[in-house]
Amino acid sequence: MVLVAAGRGERLGGLRKQYRPVAGVPMVLRALRPFTAHPEVLHSVVVLPPDDAANPPAFLADLVGPSLAIAPGGAERTDSVAAGLGTLAAECTVVLVHDAARPFPDTDVIWAVIREARAGHGAIAAVPLTDTVKEVADDGSRRVLRTVPRDTLWRAQTPQGFPRALLAAAHERARQDGTGATDDAALVERLGGELRIVPDSPYNLKV
């Protein structure tokens, strides 16, 4: 499992977002625990900003060992996930990717994402879109062009899971093309890989 926590969190000022307490527990640790406690997650990598990876907070440094590693992130999210993927133990043939800014992953959803990825395709934790969506002109006028039907629209969340070879190939293609994405599923889409939705809880919110 790769936990992406390499953001600078500069918009909040002061303590980086991933280290801020959520009900008394640092956000990154709260996001990590459901995975380290999961019987099918053999190895986890927490990707931190490079300076923090070199000198991690004690609450993470104390956990480093055979089942947990820390890796330095890159300039973009795609770079950080690739760094985590490169650090992950070789025996991990299915990879989960989760954002540290989502501190409430559901254990049942983790199970479901793993099952889908083991079936040979990518899996995305997601919730159906309930808002009314408007398409707006891109000329700066904010003129509404149409209402987008939402019946088949889902909001992508994490965890996302993939056969390791598929995710590695998607990241290699992105590296070669010099492109990134806001989630790993988009990279797999560009590669032509199959993806399935796993219904998630709206409480798996992003801070």
Side-chain angles (χ1 to χ4, degrees):
M1 190 276 293
V2 175
L3 184 68
V4 187
R8 295 284 175 180
E10 293 171 343
R11 284 175 294 182
L12 292 177
L15 187 67
R16 286 174 173 164
K17 178 173 68 172
Q18 59 268 46
Y19 306 138
R20 290 177 179 260
V22 177
V25 178
M27 190 185 304
V28 62
L29 188 56
R30 188 169 286 279
L32 176 65
R33 282 176 173 172
F35 296 94
T36 56
H38 198 285
E40 295 297 315
V41 177
L42 301 180
H43 190 229
S44 300
V45 178
V46 181
V47 185
L48 298 177
D51 52 340
D52 291 349
N55 185 27
F59 65 82
L60 285 176
D62 291 346
L63 300 177
V64 171
S67 62
L68 181 72
I70 292 175
E76 303 294 339
R77 184 185 189 280
T78 303
D79 303 319
S80 295
V81 175
L85 187 59
T87 306
L88 202 62
E91 59 266 30
C92 295
T93 57
V94 165
V95 179
L96 304 180
V97 181
H98 186 64
D99 293 331
R102 294 188 186 275
F104 306 115
D106 183 273
T107 300
D108 290 340
V109 173
I110 294 173
W111 273 113
V113 169
I114 291 172
R115 284 195 297 269
E116 291 289 349
R118 280 181 172 162
H121 46 253
I124 309 168
V127 293
L129 200 63
T130 57
D131 296 324
T132 299
V133 178
K134 304 293 185 181
E135 182 180 353
V136 177
D138 63 359
D139 58 6
S141 67
R142 299 181 182 172
R143 179 171 51 89
V144 174
L145 300 179
R146 67 179 182 122
T147 299
V148 180
R150 66 187 182 194
D151 297 348
T152 59
L153 298 180
W154 290 67
R155 181 161 49 84
Q157 303 190 155
T158 63
Q160 298 182 1
F162 311 90
R164 184 172 187 158
L166 176 61
L167 183 59
H171 273 272
E172 177 59 20
R173 172 70 65 82
R175 187 192 66 78
Q176 292 175 357
D177 295 345
T179 59
T182 55
D183 75 350
D184 294 276
L187 300 182
V188 172
E189 284 180 64
R190 292 175 191 167
L191 197 66
E194 182 180 350
L195 295 160
R196 302 282 180 90
I197 289 295
V198 171
D200 196 6
S201 165
Y203 296 107
N204 183 21
L205 53 85
K206 187 172 184 179
V207 177

